[in-house]
Amino acid sequence: MADRCPTLGRSTRPGAACSGVGPCRQEMVLPGSTTPGALPSPSPSEAADPLAGLPELIFDIAEQLNLGAPTEAGLAELPASEIEVLRLVTLFPGCGVMFLSSRTKMHQANISATVRSLVGRDLVVKEPDERDRRAVRLYASSKATRDLGQLRTIWLRRLLAAFEAAGIEAGERDRLLADLAALRRHL
């Protein structure tokens, strides 16, 4: 049976934190751990590495950031795959279907269907590629740019509130951001 977020009234999976930030936010206990906010216990084969539970923690943070955020930004009816493609189109204006397929690891036919849906919703604009008329370049519409800007603002607001609630100061946030950027460059 699902739990309910006392602030937002939404269902959450059993044992998961609600998507609210502040006093209603329950401490998250990850699978394999009994300590709120702790990394899950690694499997015996991973026990030698203290970071074994980090990937699960990253996934859970991303899930918590995104809970209800697309709805608040006006993107409620979009499936997660469409939000991801739209996000990439705003980050890489003029990209093509092959680029999106390689970045998302989705089949080209699925990307094409996703793009068709986004074009139909007036969120993506297709333009012919000047060098290859068989290919198209994709651009976010002004509506998509506005809605995704609002979504990114919601994500940032949630992160800032979580940093404050956790007592993480500006200097520590700056170091964390630099470390995460370095980590991403090496993945």
Side-chain angles (χ1 to χ4, degrees), residues 159-173:
L159 278 171
L160 291 174
F163 278 130
E164 185 176 324
I168 300 172
E169 296 181 13
E172 292 173 292
R173 290 191 302 245

Side-chain angles (χ1 to χ4, degrees), residues 149-164:
Q150 188 173 350
L151 181 60
R152 288 179 175 116
T153 299
I154 291 166
W155 286 337
L156 178 60
R157 187 176 64 232
R158 288 180 177 184
L159 278 171
L160 291 174
F163 278 130
E164 185 176 324

Side-chain angles (χ1 to χ4, degrees), residues 122-185:
D122 296 322
L123 294 171
V124 169
V125 176
K126 291 182 355 181
E127 293 183 6
D129 188 324
E130 307 81 38
R131 295 171 291 173
D132 181 357
R133 290 292 183 190
R134 296 169 297 171
V136 294
R137 296 283 154 218
L138 304 171
Y139 299 91
S141 69
S142 58
K143 177 186 180 344
T145 301
R146 183 186 65 244
D147 289 353
L148 276 171
Q150 188 173 350
L151 181 60
R152 288 179 175 116
T153 299
I154 291 166
W155 286 337
L156 178 60
R157 187 176 64 232
R158 288 180 177 184
L159 278 171
L160 291 174
F163 278 130
E164 185 176 324
I168 300 172
E169 296 181 13
E172 292 173 292
R173 290 191 302 245
D174 293 344
R175 281 190 300 281
L176 176 62
L177 181 60
D179 289 344
L180 288 173
L183 183 65
R184 181 181 62 190
R185 282 191 302 273

Side-chain angles (χ1 to χ4, degrees), residues 9-173:
R10 291 197 177 104
S11 293
T12 62
R13 68 179 191 280
C18 71
S19 60
V21 177
C24 76
R25 185 163 170 86
Q26 303 164 351
E27 279 293 324
M28 170 181 61
V29 178
L30 292 171
S33 174
T34 57
T35 306
L39 294 175
S41 300
S43 67
S45 62
E46 299 171 324
D49 191 344
L51 294 177
L54 185 58
E56 186 63 36
L57 183 61
I58 290 170
F59 278 116
D60 196 65
I61 289 170
E63 178 185 44
Q64 293 301 316
L65 274 176
N66 211 33
L67 279 176
T71 303
E72 293 175 48
L75 296 169
E77 68 279 356
L78 295 182
S81 60
E82 289 187 19
I83 291 174
E84 178 61 11
V85 167
L86 190 55
R87 186 185 74 82
L88 289 171
V89 169
T90 62
L91 292 174
F92 303 98
C95 64
V97 170
M98 293 293 290
F99 171 82
L100 293 171
S101 181
S102 70
R103 281 298 291 252
T104 62
K105 306 300 185 235
M106 290 172 58
H107 292 288
Q108 193 173 344
N110 293 343
I111 290 290
S112 294
T114 299
V115 168
R116 269 193 307 278
S117 176
L118 291 169
V119 168
R121 296 174 193 262
D122 296 322
L123 294 171
V124 169
V125 176
K126 291 182 355 181
E127 293 183 6
D129 188 324
E130 307 81 38
R131 295 171 291 173
D132 181 357
R133 290 292 183 190
R134 296 169 297 171
V136 294
R137 296 283 154 218
L138 304 171
Y139 299 91
S141 69
S142 58
K143 177 186 180 344
T145 301
R146 183 186 65 244
D147 289 353
L148 276 171
Q150 188 173 350
L151 181 60
R152 288 179 175 116
T153 299
I154 291 166
W155 286 337
L156 178 60
R157 187 176 64 232
R158 288 180 177 184
L159 278 171
L160 291 174
F163 278 130
E164 185 176 324
I168 300 172
E169 296 181 13
E172 292 173 292
R173 290 191 302 245

